[in-house]
Amino acid sequence: MASVAWAQEPLRVDDADGCSRVEDRWVGYVSLIQHEMEAQHLSLRALELKSRVNRARLGRILHRDASKRHPMTLAEFQALLRALDIDPFEAMVAVELNDDLAIAQDERFAKLAVMLSTLFRGLPQRLIAALHDLDGMDGSEIRQEWGTYFQSAVVNRMVQEIGQILERRARMSASSDPFSF
């Protein structure tokens, strides 16, 4: 069974006061699971039934005190996401977005995690199929640095498209204004 124990190891961090505390590297995912349990009004017992992960084990891996938390296996993590009906891509994006408190609290970006998970779901298979159709492609052409290039291209295209939508909205609202000349 694969384990995400490396991500669950407590990390010692120093406060501004110089006090040392233990921090969980996966606190975002555990917080997401805990939040969803609260939103669905699920007890550990109910989550045990849905996920088939033992209740005592759930208590240890979802402990509120990160320093007392046990590492969870990848299978447990996946079972919890399935039981809570959380899409793995949405979980990943939501945790990354929530790392930035300003973004997490800005309601303009509430649907961003869902949109990004839709973007990523199936993307590897579509890229492989597209690259497979290229004659003469042997795989040696692909470079890691392309990731940042394509990331920039997607962001630029998205900003361009949203800008055009906002422009059309502004024109439509101006033309429907009876007092505009």
Side-chain angles (χ1 to χ4, degrees), residues 9 25 36 46 59 70 80 93 105 126 131 135 139 145 149:
E9 289 175 19
R25 291 182 191 170
E36 196 58 33
H70 289 217
L80 292 173
V93 173
Q105 294 176 343
R126 290 187 66 185
L131 293 173
D135 288 332
E145 34 310 333
Y149 168 77

Side-chain angles (χ1 to χ4, degrees), residues 20-177:
S20 188
R21 71 188 195 305
V22 173
E23 188 175 278
D24 186 345
R25 291 182 191 170
W26 255 38
V27 74
Y29 290 103
V30 172
S31 294
L32 177 72
I33 291 167
Q34 291 167 338
H35 178 269
E36 196 58 33
M37 283 176 64
E38 290 170 12
Q40 294 182 27
H41 306 290
L42 282 178
S43 64
L44 282 180
R45 174 72 176 133
L47 186 58
E48 173 187 37
L49 294 172
K50 289 181 84 169
S51 69
R52 295 201 163 108
V53 176
N54 179 287
R55 184 174 26 170
R57 178 80 179 129
L58 287 172
R60 289 189 295 270
I61 62 179
L62 299 176
H63 200 286
R64 296 275 177 198
D65 183 348
S67 66
K68 295 179 181 176
R69 210 172 280 155
H70 289 217
M72 76 175 94
T73 65
L74 182 57
E76 289 167 336
F77 181 65
Q78 291 171 330
L80 292 173
L81 292 182
R82 271 192 309 275
L84 294 167
D85 199 27
I86 300 173
D87 179 85
F89 285 109
E90 284 180 42
M92 179 191 67
V93 173
V95 167
E96 190 168 328
L97 288 175
N98 284 329
D99 280 347
D100 185 339
L101 198 54
I103 292 173
Q105 294 176 343
D106 191 334
E107 65 184 51
R108 295 176 301 164
F109 302 116
K111 296 180 182 177
L112 190 58
V114 175
M115 187 276 298
L116 287 171
S117 71
T118 302
L119 171 72
F120 292 123
R121 190 177 300 110
L123 183 61
Q125 293 85 359
R126 290 187 66 185
L127 282 171
I128 289 169
L131 293 173
H132 183 70
D133 291 343
L134 293 174
D135 288 332
M137 165 95 180
D138 67 1
S140 64
E141 301 84 359
I142 297 173
R143 302 281 182 264
Q144 179 179 351
E145 34 310 333
W146 289 2
T148 54
Y149 168 77
F150 287 121
Q151 189 179 56
S152 295
V154 168
V155 169
N156 290 339
R157 179 58 190 240
M158 195 170 146
V159 168
Q160 178 186 14
E161 290 294 323
I162 291 171
Q164 290 173 354
I165 290 168
L166 294 174
E167 210 174 274
R168 281 193 300 270
R169 279 187 195 164
R171 280 196 309 266
M172 288 175 62
S173 68
S175 66
S176 66
D177 182 6

